[in-house]
């Protein structure tokens, strides 16, 4: 993808289309290059025209400005490592929810970092952003701008901590020793969080590394000086990491116990205190379920819900309550109790009704499992169709596999049109990142010979567009890489 010049006739034609149509007109994805001052003026004009339907993001120095994924978040006032990790997890699970935003305008002074490329690819080609456009404005010969607050965000979509990031986190902590205790604790918390969350450790096994963290958290005096919330967050994160393997579940339970102890006798807002304990209930319930203790897991989940009875359905409380309802429904499904599964699914469905599609998708997927256990095949197929046409939903591997299985059953039963409808919906739901799967499903659809030519032509055009988009994306990466080589040496010299 070769950028369009800001002062070119091609750009002016595109701009006329964008500002002439309603805010939901999809510009898809365009890359523009121009002078820094001209770009800022243009972004200002566009954002003024679109008002609340656009969001402006600035990427200045490659190590200082917040990555795109965090600038997309609204209402976040602090960006510690744990907050960023939770934003990343939500993004990977549910994608970005634009709300009323239709346009993302990004000013790039230098080049796109790998985490920013990951974010854009996820939004455009994995999440399949609908009804909006992403405009990247690259500044030509940008001046160095270092008069901003510096950020040390050590995790990307791949949760990798780079050497430069760890170096900056350690430097930040050393500088904070001259500041007040709160600043020191924040810097120390970020450093410990980054070390704990690092995806890999080349010198030791993860199990040994986690054991060392457990000892350090328990015995080191500097850790005890952190706030109760910071201590709880670190214990909680360590417990979740230890829960991933069956042979470390007992260690994970010890971490949850320590997390509860860190909350005792400390001043904390009542709602925050209850939500934190409910989160610990949820974590411990998972361990009990993995150990086969379904009744104990149910007790913990129900206790978590009762803790939050007095808290309104907003923010963290709503998320915890929804997750607990889904978990309880899943536990009763394992126990074979369809009625209680239905009861808690209805409670989860009520919370998901006015929420994002990720929650609605979880409810529909569990309803499919429930209908399957009841032997109600037609109802499961209806749920699948509703799931595949859910706006913003991206089918995971389990949904893709079950869709293909159900379509195969329909074919064996002679219901070729019904099978073709499932294939068509699946193709329309899958984003560009699944292009190889889309091609195979398309071949299966054509083989049925029951789909009209107009529909097949539309699907062919969709696949062709996906192929072109991926080709453009690869060209952008190459162009961005060449641009990065031209400025990295200058910045590295500046920082040294």
């Amino acid at each position: 993808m070769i950028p369009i010049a800001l002062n070119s006739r091609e750009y002016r034609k595109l701009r006329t289309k964008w500002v002439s149509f309603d805010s939901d007109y999809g510009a898809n994805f365009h890359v523009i290059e121009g002078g820094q001052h001209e770009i800022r003026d243009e972004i200002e004009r566009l954002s003024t025209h679109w008002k609340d339907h656009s969001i402006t993001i600035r990427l200045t120095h490659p190590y200082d400005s917040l990555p795109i994924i965090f600038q997309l978040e609204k209402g976040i006032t602090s960006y510690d490592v744990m907050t960023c990790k939770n934003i990343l997890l939500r993004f990977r699970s549910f994608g970005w929810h634009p709300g009323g935003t239709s346009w993302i305008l990004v000013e790039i002074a230098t080049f796109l970092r790998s985490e920013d490329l990951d974010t854009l690819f996820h939004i455009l080609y994995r999440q399949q952003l609908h009804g909006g456009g992403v405009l990247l404005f690259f500044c030509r010969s940008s001046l160095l701008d270092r008069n901003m607050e510096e950020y040390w965000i050590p995790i990307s979509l791949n949760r990798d901590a780079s050497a430069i990031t760890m170096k900056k986190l350690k430097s930040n902590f050393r500088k904070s020793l001259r500041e007040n205790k709160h600043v020191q604790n924040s810097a120390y918390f970020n450093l410990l969080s980054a070390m704990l969350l690092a995806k890999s450790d080349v010198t030791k096994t993860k199990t040994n590394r986690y054991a060392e963290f457990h000892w350090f958290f328990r015995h080191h005096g500097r850790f005890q000086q952190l706030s109760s919330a910071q201590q709880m967050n670190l214990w909680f994160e360590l417990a979740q990491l230890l829960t991933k393997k069956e042979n470390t579940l007992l260690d994970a339970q010890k971490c949850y116990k320590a997390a509860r102890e860190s909350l005792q006798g400390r001043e904390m807002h009542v709602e925050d205190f209850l939500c934190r304990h409910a989160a610990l209930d949820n974590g411990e319930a998972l361990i009990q379920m993995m150990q086969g203790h379904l009744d104990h897991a149910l007790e913990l989940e129900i206790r978590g819900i009762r803790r939050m009875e007095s808290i309104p359905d907003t923010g963290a409380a709503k998320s915890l309550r929804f997750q607990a309802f889904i978990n309880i429904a899943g536990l009763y499904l394992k126990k074979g109790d369809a009625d209680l599964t239905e009861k808690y699914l209805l409670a989860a469905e009520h919370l998901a009704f006015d929420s994002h599609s990720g929650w609605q998708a979880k409810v529909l997927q569990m309803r499919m499992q429930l209908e399957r256990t009841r032997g109600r095949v037609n109802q499961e197929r209806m749920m699948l169709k509703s799931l595949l046409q859910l706006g913003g939903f991206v089918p995971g591997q389990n949904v893709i596999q079950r869709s293909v299985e159900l379509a195969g059953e329909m074919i064996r039963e002679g219901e070729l049109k019904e099978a073709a409808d499932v294939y068509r919906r699946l193709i329309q739901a899958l984003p560009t990142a699944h292009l190889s799967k889309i091609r195979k499903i398309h071949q299966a659809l054509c083989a049925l010979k029951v789909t009209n030519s107009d529909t097949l032509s539309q699907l062919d055009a969709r696949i062709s567009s996906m192929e072109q988009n991926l080709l453009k994306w690869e060209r952008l990466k190459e162009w961005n890489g060449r641009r990065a080589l031209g400025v990295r040496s200058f910045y590295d010299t500046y920082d040294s």
Side-chain angles (χ1 to χ4, degrees):
M1 177 181 287
I2 299 174
I4 305 167
L6 181 64
N7 58 359
S8 68
R9 180 179 299 178
E10 183 179 0
Y11 177 77
R12 288 195 293 273
K13 286 183 178 179
L14 285 169
R15 190 185 191 281
T16 301
K17 286 185 178 181
W18 302 337
V19 299
S20 299
F21 285 76
D22 294 333
S23 61
D24 62 352
Y25 168 76
N28 196 7
F29 180 51
H30 290 284
V31 180
I32 302 100
E33 188 178 29
Q36 186 177 50
H37 297 298
E38 290 79 6
I39 278 177
R40 288 190 178 178
D41 289 342
E42 176 65 1
I43 289 176
E44 177 66 25
R45 284 192 291 269
L46 289 173
S47 60
T48 301
H49 176 78
W50 286 318
K51 298 179 181 177
D52 295 336
H53 297 293
S54 68
I55 184 170
T56 299
I57 291 171
R58 286 187 64 196
L59 301 178
T60 54
H61 187 281
Y63 301 137
D64 293 351
S65 53
L66 278 170
I68 288 175
I69 187 172
F70 305 119
Q71 294 196 49
L72 287 172
E73 288 286 321
K74 296 179 180 179
I76 303 295
T77 56
S78 63
Y79 287 91
D80 62 54
V81 171
M82 287 297 182
T83 298
C84 291
K85 187 269 299 186
N86 291 329
I87 290 172
L88 286 171
L89 289 181
R90 287 198 304 272
F91 184 79
R92 289 193 73 88
S93 300
F94 305 120
W96 176 61
H97 299 280
T101 302
S102 296
W103 301 86
I104 304 173
L105 314 176
V106 188
E107 177 194 332
I108 306 157
T110 55
F111 57 90
L112 283 168
R113 299 161 293 193
S114 60
E115 56 264 41
D116 293 324
L117 284 167
D118 288 343
T119 300
L120 290 171
F121 187 85
H122 196 107
I123 290 174
L124 289 164
Y125 304 128
R126 289 193 183 279
Q127 180 183 343
Q128 195 169 294
L129 184 65
H130 293 282
V134 177
L135 307 180
L136 302 183
F137 291 89
F138 283 86
C139 298
R140 190 184 299 116
S141 304
S142 174
L143 298 175
L144 187 64
D145 182 1
R146 299 302 303 271
N147 298 319
M148 297 179 63
E149 180 182 356
E150 290 192 299
Y151 295 95
W152 293 270
I153 307 299
I155 43 181
S156 68
L157 286 182
N158 298 317
R159 291 178 67 177
D160 290 329
S162 65
I164 186 68
T165 300
M166 295 307 298
K167 179 181 176 182
K168 281 183 171 288
L169 280 167
K170 291 174 183 176
S171 173
N172 187 31
F173 175 60
R174 287 194 296 269
K175 290 177 183 177
S176 75
L177 294 175
R178 299 190 294 269
E179 306 292 337
N180 58 48
K181 184 178 179 181
H182 174 73
V183 174
Q184 290 178 31
N185 283 352
S186 296
Y188 192 58
F189 173 74
N190 271 342
L191 182 58
L192 286 178
S193 299
M195 293 168 67
L196 179 61
L197 289 169
K199 192 175 181 182
S200 61
D201 190 315
V202 296
T203 58
K204 297 173 183 173
T205 65
K206 285 185 179 180
T207 303
N208 289 341
R209 187 162 69 92
Y210 295 157
E212 290 183 2
F213 272 110
H214 187 281
W215 185 93
F216 184 87
F217 291 172
R218 178 64 75 183
H219 299 289
H220 202 281
R222 186 66 186 83
F223 178 82
Q224 311 303 324
Q225 295 175 18
L226 295 175
S227 70
S228 59
Q230 288 171 333
Q231 290 184 40
M232 181 268 180
N233 283 340
L234 288 166
W235 278 119
F236 182 82
E237 191 62 40
L238 180 56
Q240 288 197 311
L241 292 169
L242 290 167
T243 304
K244 294 180 179 180
K245 291 188 177 181
E246 290 189 8
N247 63 345
T248 55
L249 292 181
L250 292 177
D251 293 326
Q253 286 179 308
K254 293 177 183 177
C255 292
Y256 281 127
K257 182 180 178 182
R260 290 193 193 278
E261 291 172 354
S262 70
L263 297 177
Q264 301 305 317
R266 307 289 185 99
E267 291 186 5
M268 188 177 293
H269 193 279
V270 175
E271 289 189 8
D272 190 23
F273 180 84
L274 292 174
C275 282
R276 288 180 183 276
H277 272 291
L280 293 171
D281 291 332
N282 182 275
E284 289 187 271
L286 177 59
I287 293 177
Q288 294 300 319
M289 185 187 73
M290 292 175 69
Q291 293 175 331
H293 307 146
L294 301 187
D295 289 331
H296 193 188
L298 279 167
E299 290 174 10
L300 287 165
E301 293 286 11
I302 291 171
R303 186 173 76 181
I305 289 174
R306 286 174 178 164
R307 288 186 195 276
M308 296 184 291
E309 284 179 347
S310 60
I311 303 176
D313 277 335
T314 56
K318 184 175 182 179
S319 179
L320 285 167
R321 196 174 276 121
F322 172 80
Q323 192 59 54
F325 285 144
I326 283 289
N327 290 348
I328 293 171
L331 287 166
Y332 277 123
L333 188 61
K334 286 180 180 289
K335 288 170 67 69
D337 193 328
D339 291 338
L340 285 174
T341 301
E342 179 72 30
K343 173 185 174 181
Y344 283 96
L345 266 182
L346 284 171
E349 194 170 43
H350 174 73
L351 290 176
F353 177 73
D354 59 348
S355 299
H356 52 70
S357 59
W359 287 14
Q360 297 169 32
K362 278 193 172 185
V363 173
L364 284 170
Q365 287 177 78
M366 189 159 289
R367 282 206 172 279
M368 285 176 62
Q369 294 179 45
L370 178 59
E371 299 300 344
R372 197 182 317 161
T373 60
R374 287 171 165 170
R376 296 160 63 172
V377 178
N378 288 335
Q379 283 79 357
E380 184 189 1
R381 292 173 180 175
M382 288 173 60
M383 292 294 170
L384 174 63
K385 289 181 179 181
S386 298
L387 180 64
L388 293 178
Q389 67 184 23
L390 190 63
F393 170 67
V394 178
Q397 184 56 41
N398 290 339
V399 174
I400 296 172
Q401 183 176 339
R402 187 56 184 160
S403 300
V404 173
E405 289 172 356
L406 288 175
E409 291 175 9
M410 294 171 188
I411 292 170
R412 287 189 292 274
E413 294 169 5
E415 298 179 5
L416 301 186
K417 288 188 176 180
E418 288 294 310
D421 188 45
V422 170
Y423 285 146
R424 179 185 59 79
R425 290 172 188 261
L426 190 55
I427 290 172
Q428 291 174 334
L430 286 171
T432 305
H434 288 284
L435 184 56
S436 61
K437 289 188 178 71
I438 291 171
R439 289 194 184 107
K440 292 179 181 178
I441 297 167
H442 184 259
Q443 289 175 358
L445 174 63
C446 293
L448 295 178
K449 299 180 180 179
V450 294
T451 306
N452 64 58
S453 58
D454 288 343
T455 301
L456 289 176
S457 296
Q458 291 173 5
L459 294 176
D460 288 339
R462 174 178 168 78
I463 292 172
S464 177
S465 175
M466 288 179 170
E467 291 169 343
Q468 292 175 18
N469 284 336
L470 287 182
L471 181 60
K472 289 178 181 177
W473 181 258
E474 289 304 316
R475 288 174 179 168
L476 169 64
K477 285 171 61 179
E478 292 175 5
W479 181 83
N480 182 69
R482 291 194 298 271
R483 184 179 171 96
L485 286 174
V487 297
R488 268 204 183 101
S489 58
F490 172 75
Y491 279 120
D492 289 342
T493 302
Y494 182 92
D495 285 333
S496 62

mmCIF file with all atom_site columns, all heavy atoms in Angstrom, residues 478-489:
data_model
loop_
_atom_site.group_PDB
_atom_site.id
_atom_site.type_symbol
_atom_site.label_atom_id
_atom_site.label_alt_id
_atom_site.label_comp_id
_atom_site.label_asym_id
_atom_site.label_entity_id
_atom_site.label_seq_id
_atom_site.pdbx_PDB_ins_code
_atom_site.Cartn_x
_atom_site.Cartn_y
_atom_site.Cartn_z
_atom_site.occupancy
_atom_site.B_iso_or_equiv
_atom_site.pdbx_formal_charge
_atom_site.auth_seq_id
_atom_site.auth_comp_id
_atom_site.auth_asym_id
_atom_site.auth_atom_id
_atom_site.pdbx_PDB_model_num
ATOM 1  N N   . GLU A 1 478 ? 5.693  -3.408 4.706  1.00 0.00 ? 478 GLU A N   1
ATOM 2  C CA  . GLU A 1 478 ? 7.004  -3.218 4.073  1.00 0.00 ? 478 GLU A CA  1
ATOM 3  C C   . GLU A 1 478 ? 7.381  -1.744 4.041  1.00 0.00 ? 478 GLU A C   1
ATOM 4  O O   . GLU A 1 478 ? 8.515  -1.365 4.360  1.00 0.00 ? 478 GLU A O   1
ATOM 5  C CB  . GLU A 1 478 ? 6.983  -3.792 2.660  1.00 0.00 ? 478 GLU A CB  1
ATOM 6  C CG  . GLU A 1 478 ? 6.872  -5.322 2.610  1.00 0.00 ? 478 GLU A CG  1
ATOM 7  C CD  . GLU A 1 478 ? 6.723  -5.833 1.188  1.00 0.00 ? 478 GLU A CD  1
ATOM 8  O OE1 . GLU A 1 478 ? 6.802  -5.005 0.250  1.00 0.00 ? 478 GLU A OE1 1
ATOM 9  O OE2 . GLU A 1 478 ? 6.516  -7.050 1.009  1.00 0.00 ? 478 GLU A OE2 1
ATOM 10 N N   . TRP A 1 479 ? 6.436  -0.900 3.643  1.00 0.00 ? 479 TRP A N   1
ATOM 11 C CA  . TRP A 1 479 ? 6.693  0.544  3.572  1.00 0.00 ? 479 TRP A CA  1
ATOM 12 C C   . TRP A 1 479 ? 6.991  1.099  4.961  1.00 0.00 ? 479 TRP A C   1
ATOM 13 O O   . TRP A 1 479 ? 7.911  1.888  5.147  1.00 0.00 ? 479 TRP A O   1
ATOM 14 C CB  . TRP A 1 479 ? 5.467  1.246  2.968  1.00 0.00 ? 479 TRP A CB  1
ATOM 15 C CG  . TRP A 1 479 ? 5.636  2.732  2.825  1.00 0.00 ? 479 TRP A CG  1
ATOM 16 C CD1 . TRP A 1 479 ? 6.249  3.401  1.807  1.00 0.00 ? 479 TRP A CD1 1
ATOM 17 C CD2 . TRP A 1 479 ? 5.182  3.728  3.751  1.00 0.00 ? 479 TRP A CD2 1
ATOM 18 N NE1 . TRP A 1 479 ? 6.202  4.755  2.030  1.00 0.00 ? 479 TRP A NE1 1
ATOM 19 C CE2 . TRP A 1 479 ? 5.555  4.979  3.211  1.00 0.00 ? 479 TRP A CE2 1
ATOM 20 C CE3 . TRP A 1 479 ? 4.508  3.684  4.963  1.00 0.00 ? 479 TRP A CE3 1
ATOM 21 C CZ2 . TRP A 1 479 ? 5.270  6.174  3.870  1.00 0.00 ? 479 TRP A CZ2 1
ATOM 22 C CZ3 . TRP A 1 479 ? 4.220  4.873  5.624  1.00 0.00 ? 479 TRP A CZ3 1
ATOM 23 C CH2 . TRP A 1 479 ? 4.599  6.100  5.073  1.00 0.00 ? 479 TRP A CH2 1
ATOM 24 N N   . ASN A 1 480 ? 6.209  0.675  5.964  1.00 0.00 ? 480 ASN A N   1
ATOM 25 C CA  . ASN A 1 480 ? 6.414  1.129  7.343  1.00 0.00 ? 480 ASN A CA  1
ATOM 26 C C   . ASN A 1 480 ? 7.776  0.662  7.864  1.00 0.00 ? 480 ASN A C   1
ATOM 27 O O   . ASN A 1 480 ? 8.454  1.390  8.589  1.00 0.00 ? 480 ASN A O   1
ATOM 28 C CB  . ASN A 1 480 ? 5.294  0.582  8.232  1.00 0.00 ? 480 ASN A CB  1
ATOM 29 C CG  . ASN A 1 480 ? 5.408  1.047  9.669  1.00 0.00 ? 480 ASN A CG  1
ATOM 30 O OD1 . ASN A 1 480 ? 5.214  2.213  9.982  1.00 0.00 ? 480 ASN A OD1 1
ATOM 31 N ND2 . ASN A 1 480 ? 5.735  0.111  10.560 1.00 0.00 ? 480 ASN A ND2 1
ATOM 32 N N   . GLY A 1 481 ? 8.181  -0.561 7.484  1.00 0.00 ? 481 GLY A N   1
ATOM 33 C CA  . GLY A 1 481 ? 9.483  -1.071 7.905  1.00 0.00 ? 481 GLY A CA  1
ATOM 34 C C   . GLY A 1 481 ? 10.625 -0.240 7.363  1.00 0.00 ? 481 GLY A C   1
ATOM 35 O O   . GLY A 1 481 ? 11.599 0.049  8.078  1.00 0.00 ? 481 GLY A O   1
ATOM 36 N N   . ARG A 1 482 ? 10.518 0.161  6.093  1.00 0.00 ? 482 ARG A N   1
ATOM 37 C CA  . ARG A 1 482 ? 11.555 1.011  5.510  1.00 0.00 ? 482 ARG A CA  1
ATOM 38 C C   . ARG A 1 482 ? 11.588 2.375  6.203  1.00 0.00 ? 482 ARG A C   1
ATOM 39 O O   . ARG A 1 482 ? 12.656 2.930  6.443  1.00 0.00 ? 482 ARG A O   1
ATOM 40 C CB  . ARG A 1 482 ? 11.309 1.194  4.005  1.00 0.00 ? 482 ARG A CB  1
ATOM 41 C CG  . ARG A 1 482 ? 11.527 -0.074 3.183  1.00 0.00 ? 482 ARG A CG  1
ATOM 42 C CD  . ARG A 1 482 ? 11.612 0.227  1.701  1.00 0.00 ? 482 ARG A CD  1
ATOM 43 N NE  . ARG A 1 482 ? 10.393 0.813  1.181  1.00 0.00 ? 482 ARG A NE  1
ATOM 44 C CZ  . ARG A 1 482 ? 9.362  0.108  0.703  1.00 0.00 ? 482 ARG A CZ  1
ATOM 45 N NH1 . ARG A 1 482 ? 9.427  -1.211 0.700  1.00 0.00 ? 482 ARG A NH1 1
ATOM 46 N NH2 . ARG A 1 482 ? 8.285  0.706  0.237  1.00 0.00 ? 482 ARG A NH2 1
ATOM 47 N N   . ARG A 1 483 ? 10.421 2.890  6.534  1.00 0.00 ? 483 ARG A N   1
ATOM 48 C CA  . ARG A 1 483 ? 10.346 4.180  7.227  1.00 0.00 ? 483 ARG A CA  1
ATOM 49 C C   . ARG A 1 483 ? 10.970 4.071  8.620  1.00 0.00 ? 483 ARG A C   1
ATOM 50 O O   . ARG A 1 483 ? 11.672 4.977  9.068  1.00 0.00 ? 483 ARG A O   1
ATOM 51 C CB  . ARG A 1 483 ? 8.872  4.597  7.331  1.00 0.00 ? 483 ARG A CB  1
ATOM 52 C CG  . ARG A 1 483 ? 8.646  5.973  7.945  1.00 0.00 ? 483 ARG A CG  1
ATOM 53 C CD  . ARG A 1 483 ? 7.156  6.306  7.974  1.00 0.00 ? 483 ARG A CD  1
ATOM 54 N NE  . ARG A 1 483 ? 6.887  7.513  8.728  1.00 0.00 ? 483 ARG A NE  1
ATOM 55 C CZ  . ARG A 1 483 ? 6.756  8.718  8.213  1.00 0.00 ? 483 ARG A CZ  1
ATOM 56 N NH1 . ARG A 1 483 ? 6.878  8.882  6.907  1.00 0.00 ? 483 ARG A NH1 1
ATOM 57 N NH2 . ARG A 1 483 ? 6.507  9.762  8.979  1.00 0.00 ? 483 ARG A NH2 1
ATOM 58 N N   . ALA A 1 484 ? 10.708 2.940  9.305  1.00 0.00 ? 484 ALA A N   1
ATOM 59 C CA  . ALA A 1 484 ? 11.253 2.737  10.652 1.00 0.00 ? 484 ALA A CA  1
ATOM 60 C C   . ALA A 1 484 ? 12.775 2.706  10.632 1.00 0.00 ? 484 ALA A C   1
ATOM 61 O O   . ALA A 1 484 ? 13.435 3.275  11.503 1.00 0.00 ? 484 ALA A O   1
ATOM 62 C CB  . ALA A 1 484 ? 10.701 1.443  11.246 1.00 0.00 ? 484 ALA A CB  1
ATOM 63 N N   . LEU A 1 485 ? 13.353 2.044  9.616  1.00 0.00 ? 485 LEU A N   1
ATOM 64 C CA  . LEU A 1 485 ? 14.815 1.972  9.520  1.00 0.00 ? 485 LEU A CA  1
ATOM 65 C C   . LEU A 1 485 ? 15.429 3.357  9.388  1.00 0.00 ? 485 LEU A C   1
ATOM 66 O O   . LEU A 1 485 ? 16.526 3.616  9.880  1.00 0.00 ? 485 LEU A O   1
ATOM 67 C CB  . LEU A 1 485 ? 15.226 1.106  8.320  1.00 0.00 ? 485 LEU A CB  1
ATOM 68 C CG  . LEU A 1 485 ? 15.034 -0.402 8.470  1.00 0.00 ? 485 LEU A CG  1
ATOM 69 C CD1 . LEU A 1 485 ? 15.339 -1.097 7.147  1.00 0.00 ? 485 LEU A CD1 1
ATOM 70 C CD2 . LEU A 1 485 ? 15.926 -0.943 9.576  1.00 0.00 ? 485 LEU A CD2 1
ATOM 71 N N   . GLY A 1 486 ? 14.706 4.251  8.745  1.00 0.00 ? 486 GLY A N   1
ATOM 72 C CA  . GLY A 1 486 ? 15.233 5.591  8.514  1.00 0.00 ? 486 GLY A CA  1
ATOM 73 C C   . GLY A 1 486 ? 15.235 6.484  9.730  1.00 0.00 ? 486 GLY A C   1
ATOM 74 O O   . GLY A 1 486 ? 15.957 7.474  9.768  1.00 0.00 ? 486 GLY A O   1
ATOM 75 N N   . VAL A 1 487 ? 14.433 6.158  10.756 1.00 0.00 ? 487 VAL A N   1
ATOM 76 C CA  . VAL A 1 487 ? 14.344 7.044  11.926 1.00 0.00 ? 487 VAL A CA  1
ATOM 77 C C   . VAL A 1 487 ? 14.858 6.393  13.203 1.00 0.00 ? 487 VAL A C   1
ATOM 78 O O   . VAL A 1 487 ? 15.191 7.089  14.157 1.00 0.00 ? 487 VAL A O   1
ATOM 79 C CB  . VAL A 1 487 ? 12.887 7.511  12.152 1.00 0.00 ? 487 VAL A CB  1
ATOM 80 C CG1 . VAL A 1 487 ? 12.399 8.336  10.998 1.00 0.00 ? 487 VAL A CG1 1
ATOM 81 C CG2 . VAL A 1 487 ? 11.961 6.330  12.408 1.00 0.00 ? 487 VAL A CG2 1
ATOM 82 N N   . ARG A 1 488 ? 14.953 5.052  13.243 1.00 0.00 ? 488 ARG A N   1
ATOM 83 C CA  . ARG A 1 488 ? 15.362 4.387  14.482 1.00 0.00 ? 488 ARG A CA  1
ATOM 84 C C   . ARG A 1 488 ? 16.756 4.813  14.938 1.00 0.00 ? 488 ARG A C   1
ATOM 85 O O   . ARG A 1 488 ? 16.987 5.081  16.112 1.00 0.00 ? 488 ARG A O   1
ATOM 86 C CB  . ARG A 1 488 ? 15.324 2.873  14.295 1.00 0.00 ? 488 ARG A CB  1
ATOM 87 C CG  . ARG A 1 488 ? 13.999 2.246  14.686 1.00 0.00 ? 488 ARG A CG  1
ATOM 88 C CD  . ARG A 1 488 ? 14.166 0.784  15.050 1.00 0.00 ? 488 ARG A CD  1
ATOM 89 N NE  . ARG A 1 488 ? 12.882 0.184  15.345 1.00 0.00 ? 488 ARG A NE  1
ATOM 90 C CZ  . ARG A 1 488 ? 12.196 -0.578 14.498 1.00 0.00 ? 488 ARG A CZ  1
ATOM 91 N NH1 . ARG A 1 488 ? 12.681 -0.809 13.294 1.00 0.00 ? 488 ARG A NH1 1
ATOM 92 N NH2 . ARG A 1 488 ? 11.038 -1.089 14.834 1.00 0.00 ? 488 ARG A NH2 1
ATOM 93 N N   . SER A 1 489 ? 17.691 4.850  13.986 1.00 0.00 ? 489 SER A N   1
ATOM 94 C CA  . SER A 1 489 ? 19.073 5.168  14.353 1.00 0.00 ? 489 SER A CA  1
ATOM 95 C C   . SER A 1 489 ? 19.153 6.568  14.960 1.00 0.00 ? 489 SER A C   1
ATOM 96 O O   . SER A 1 489 ? 19.886 6.795  15.917 1.00 0.00 ? 489 SER A O   1
ATOM 97 C CB  . SER A 1 489 ? 19.991 5.066  13.136 1.00 0.00 ? 489 SER A CB  1
ATOM 98 O OG  . SER A 1 489 ? 19.540 5.935  12.112 1.00 0.00 ? 489 SER A OG  1
#
